[in-house]
Amino acid sequence: MLVRMFGNRDFSSFWNVPFATFEVPLEEKGIIGVSILKQVISTGSYAKTKHVLQSKLIPRQSSRG
């Protein structure tokens, strides 16, 4: 069984062998999304800019040798 864990959700550490995961800045991601949505609602279009969010690896037992 292949299981991928992203976002460092609470259940990522509850497996028999806790899975390594990535912590994603969900609040910042939501703020950017709402900002884009507000721009589309008010102007009918949006600036196509690239947003790079800083994520980090959360190593757990599954990634230790």
Side-chain angles (χ1 to χ4, degrees):
M1 174 174 73
L2 176 62
V3 178
R4 294 185 179 133
M5 297 291 169
F6 297 99
N8 195 28
R9 308 308 297 168
D10 293 338
F11 56 82
S12 299
S13 62
F14 293 136
W15 297 88
N16 290 335
V17 176
F19 286 96
T21 187
F22 282 94
E23 184 175 272
V24 179
L26 296 176
E27 185 176 345
E28 185 179 357
K29 188 176 178 180
I31 290 169
I32 291 169
V34 169
S35 174
I36 293 169
L37 180 59
K38 286 171 62 177
Q39 186 178 13
V40 170
I41 290 169
S42 66
T43 67
S45 64
Y46 66 98
K48 295 181 181 179
T49 58
K50 184 176 183 177
H51 300 275
V52 179
L53 304 179
Q54 186 66 45
S55 60
K56 68 179 184 177
L57 175 66
I58 307 296
R60 292 198 174 98
Q61 191 175 349
S62 67
S63 61
R64 295 183 186 136

